[in-house]
Each structure stands twice: as C-alpha cells, then as structure tokens.
Amino acid sequence: KAGVTQTPRYLIKTRGQQVTLSCSPISGHRSVSWYQQTPGQGLQFLFEYFSETQRNKGNFPGRFSGRQFSNSRSEMNVSTLELGDSALYLCASSPRNRAGGTDTQYFGPGTRLTVL
Amino acid sequence: QQQVKQSPQSLIVQKGGISIINCAYENTAFDYFPWYQQFPGKGPALLIAIRPDVSEKKEGRFTISFNKSAKQFSLHIMDSQPGDSATYFCAAVFKAAGNKLTFGGGTRVLVKP
C-alpha cells in the first residue's frame, strides 16, 4: 500500500496570507490527525478527523481549521499567517474503524511551511 | 504545560553501545505509551509501544521499561548502530480521547562508528 502522502512538500507564504495543506491517508484508513512540529514547541496535536467529523482538537487558535472528505482525504487551513506558524505540518492516518479508541498512526513526510 | 518530559535532549553513543532515553508523564489517565523514530526529512514512525499493565516490552534491539508508580518509562537501544542515528520521541495517549498523541520533546541520538 502507498503511504500517507502530503502536498505540497514545501510552501513559502507571507504574513497575513492563508494556506491550505492536503493529506491523503493510506487506503482504507478512516482517521486522519494533524500535528505541528517546530524546534521550540516540538510535536503538537492540532486535530483529528474520523468519518468527516472532527473528533478531537488541540490548543491552537481558530485560525487553524481542517476538514475531511468522504474519501478520507483531509485538508488543513491556516488563515492570517503569522511568522510563528512556520513549521513542519505532519499528517497521520490510522486504520481505526470506530470513533473511539486508538491505534497505530502512520505519518506522512510533512509539509514544510515557511512564513516570511 | 508539558505533560510528557523527555531526557536527554541529545545523546552520543559508540557503535555497539546502549542508548537510554527517559520519559516522565503527569497525567495518570494516559494508558498507551508509544515511541517514535524520526529521520531527517521524514515523518515519525512507530518503533515500539507499551501499555501500563506491562513493565517491560522488547522488540529486537529495542526495549521499553515502564514504571507505573513513578510515572516514568524509558527506551533502551541495545547494540546501537549508525543506522539508529535519528530523533526519538516518546508519546502518551489517553485511549478514550482517540488518537491524540502527546509527545515528549525528543532526543537526538548519534551513533558513532
């Protein structure tokens, strides 16, 4: 099976712009989670989607949003970009077949976002 | 609030040596503790995981030791190889809350040949 794919791999934006990142999970996986990775804050959970519904949300401002489509593909959007949003954004999928519980998460290579 | 604390931040070990990484958690509701390995330019990959009802789990050269009363767990990499050079993250999950991983700060391991 193909792994988790994320597009684009690299992105440069300026302050105030918005950005949309895309994630295609492993075929058959229904749960998609997003994480932000920075040198200062490490890996932080953004949100999780399962069957097109947000199931869990981390401590990020409302400028960070996401959605999941019926084919399990997911997008995350960041509006009004700030310099501090520069980070590696990672998507992870898992084969979870019900709304509760946890199982192995498979990470994509990430999208490197630079905000100038 | 850092719920999972990881140490050391970096580690240099000779080939064949043992790498030891420690983590401590605060939230007793955590009930699943995975370790991830990340190479430059790649996303983290699950290495090994343990549940709190088990004190030790071994998979190949990787062993997790778990101390529930101390709220600590550690990763031991035996016979370290240059290919093990990577950043390692411990994590904790509260299963009822779904797939939210709370990560430690990471340990950069360098194995010298």
Side-chain angles (χ1 to χ4, degrees), chain A residues 31 35 37 48 56 94 102 105, chain B residues 38 43-44 95 97-99 101:
Chain A
S31 169
Y35 293 82
Q37 185 173 23
E48 178 194 4
N56 221 332
S94 72
T102 187
Q105 295 189 59
Chain B
Q38 185 177 29
K95 287 192 292 183
N99 273 339
L101 288 160

Side-chain angles (χ1 to χ4, degrees), chain A residues 9 31 33 35 37 43 45 48 56-58 88 90 94 96 99-105 107-109, chain B residues 31-32 36 38 41-46 51 89 93-105:
Chain A
R9 292 293 311 277
S31 169
S33 299
Y35 293 82
Q37 185 173 23
L43 279 154
F45 173 80
E48 178 194 4
N56 221 332
K57 190 177 189 306
L88 180 67
L90 293 158
S94 72
R96 195 149 65 95
T102 187
D103 54 19
T104 301
Q105 295 189 59
F107 283 82
Chain B
D31 51 9
Y32 179 68
Y36 284 81
Q38 185 177 29
K42 305 284 188 181
L46 179 66
R51 287 178 166 75
F89 294 92
V93 179
F94 174 41
K95 287 192 292 183
N99 273 339
K100 177 183 176 180
L101 288 160
T102 300
F103 284 95

Side-chain angles (χ1 to χ4, degrees), chain B residues 11-21 61-62 75-85 88 109-113:
Chain B
L11 184 59
I12 299 174
V13 62
Q14 292 296 128
K15 179 182 175 181
I18 302 174
S19 302
I20 301 174
I21 304 170
R61 297 185 292 107
F62 300 91
L75 176 70
H76 290 60
I77 306 174
M78 314 299 286
D79 187 26
S80 296
Q81 300 296 312
D84 296 332
S85 296
Y88 293 81
V109 174
L110 176 63
V111 181
K112 289 193 167 183

Side-chain angles (χ1 to χ4, degrees), chain A residues 75-87:
Chain A
E75 289 181 347
M76 68 162 282
N77 184 78
V78 188
S79 63
T80 319
L81 284 165
E82 301 177 359
L83 295 178
D85 296 333
S86 294

Side-chain angles (χ1 to χ4, degrees), chain B residues 4-7 21-25 35 71-75 89-91 104-105 107:
Chain B
V4 180
K5 295 182 180 179
Q6 184 171 345
S7 63
I21 304 170
N22 300 299
C23 285
Y25 63 98
W35 284 88
K71 293 188 288 185
Q72 295 177 347
F73 57 112
S74 60
L75 176 70
F89 294 92
C90 62
T107 297

